[in-house]
Amino acid sequence: MPESKSRPPQNQPWESGWAPDTSRVPGTRRLWLAGALAIATVAACVTAIVVTEQQPDYPSPAPDQAAVADPSGPGLISYGTPSATPSPTPGKKSASPSARTTTSASEPQGSASAPPPAAPPKPPTSQPGSSAPKPSTTWRSVRSVNYPDRYWHISGGLVKLDPVGGSESREDSTFKLVKGLADGSCQSFATADGKYLRHRDFILRADRNDGSSLFKLDATFCPRSSPVSGAIMLESVNYPGRFLRHRDFVLRLESYQHSGGYQAESAFRLVGGLA
């Protein structure tokens, strides 16, 4: 008995002559394909998660380190920020000295970048038999301006204005110029036998230093400019306004006067020692 074939509806003809199977829900194949694709996607995601968890977990930089500069870099940069200057080519020196950074404070001492401190120079050692050089001593003679042939001269313990005599007289007319005993910016006059010129009762004389403050003041004189060109005036430290002058060829301390005679008799020149 011949098989009975279903006939297509009259309004939907089929080329094969077969009618669609009405016992199956339409679109089943598409649903199967979509399910398979979803399962494959889930499997791929699970595989990626497993691989990611197996990699070592590097700690993220602390917030306070995010802006710390790389010691080898040219400046302060933050993580994830590209450098504005290109990296130097290997084998070439940087053209700008500002691109180099100073050594970090965390570097250990004694690194190759820090040269060792130079050893202090050794003091010179004296040779056997050699003596240290003696400081030079300034010896001066004091010459009068209005009596250029006369000099300060110690006679009878007093300082007078006398002409140049023999060798002994020349020695008594030569004095060692030193810093003032009472004021280092002024001057004192010492003799060859260790005495000092000082004023006492306003008369200039040569006396031994007794160490008293009064003696130091009496033996200290400050040079001042004189109206006479190339000459000086010597003012007393403890009697300001009084200057040394010669009167009757004896050196004494008197108050300043505007007369021509006083200015000439109180003007002196320091010259080389006569002795």
Side-chain angles (χ1 to χ4, degrees):
M1 186 174 179
E3 296 179 355
S4 61
K5 298 180 178 180
S6 63
R7 298 176 60 185
Q10 296 298 327
N11 56 351
Q12 294 181 358
W14 296 86
E15 293 181 0
S16 60
W18 296 91
D21 188 4
T22 58
S23 62
R24 186 170 52 88
V25 179
T28 307
R29 291 180 180 179
R30 294 181 181 178
L31 292 176
W32 281 103
L33 290 176
L37 182 60
I39 294 173
T41 302
V42 172
C45 292
V46 172
T47 303
I49 293 173
V50 172
V51 172
T52 304
E53 290 180 353
Q54 291 179 356
Q55 294 181 356
D57 188 12
Y58 294 99
S60 59
D64 56 348
Q65 296 179 353
V68 176
D70 185 1
S72 60
L76 295 175
I77 58 175
S78 60
Y79 288 102
T81 304
S83 175
T85 57
S87 59
T89 306
K92 294 184 180 180
K93 296 182 177 180
S94 175
S96 175
S98 62
R100 299 180 180 179
T101 57
T102 57
T103 305
S104 175
S106 61
E107 291 185 359
Q109 297 182 355
S111 59
S113 60
K122 296 182 179 180
T125 56
S126 58
Q127 299 294 334
S130 63
S131 58
K134 297 181 179 179
S136 58
T137 303
T138 303
W139 293 90
R140 291 289 184 265
S141 294
V142 186
R143 185 175 63 187
S144 172
V145 167
N146 55 345
Y147 289 92
D149 60 335
R150 290 176 176 262
Y151 296 81
W152 287 12
H153 175 246
I154 300 175
S155 177
L158 302 180
V159 180
K160 299 180 180 180
L161 203 63
D162 294 332
V164 179
S167 59
E168 185 176 351
S169 176
R170 288 174 177 266
E171 184 177 351
D172 292 336
S173 298
T174 304
F175 310 97
K176 181 169 63 174
L177 199 62
V178 298
K179 289 184 178 181
L181 299 180
D183 187 348
S185 62
C186 298
Q187 297 172 349
S188 293
F189 298 88
T191 63
D193 57 357
K195 296 180 181 180
Y196 286 89
L197 302 186
R198 55 89 58 95
H199 67 82
R200 190 176 64 185
D201 297 330
F202 301 114
I203 302 298
L204 191 63
R205 64 189 73 228
D207 282 343
R208 293 284 179 183
N209 185 2
D210 58 7
S212 63
S213 58
L214 178 61
F215 183 92
K216 294 177 181 180
L217 291 171
D218 291 346
T220 304
F221 304 93
C222 298
R224 309 299 184 192
S225 59
S226 171
V228 181
S229 177
I232 62 172
M233 300 175 64
L234 295 169
E235 184 180 15
S236 172
V237 168
N238 51 348
Y239 287 94
R242 287 179 176 264
F243 296 82
L244 290 176
R245 61 141 340 152
H246 68 83
R247 185 156 55 89
D248 297 332
F249 300 114
V250 176
L251 272 297
R252 61 187 71 237
L253 201 63
E254 291 187 1
S255 300
Y256 181 79
Q257 301 174 15
H258 293 279
S259 64
Y262 179 93
Q263 294 178 359
E265 293 174 355
S266 60
F268 304 97
R269 288 188 173 94
L270 299 179
V271 297
L274 297 177

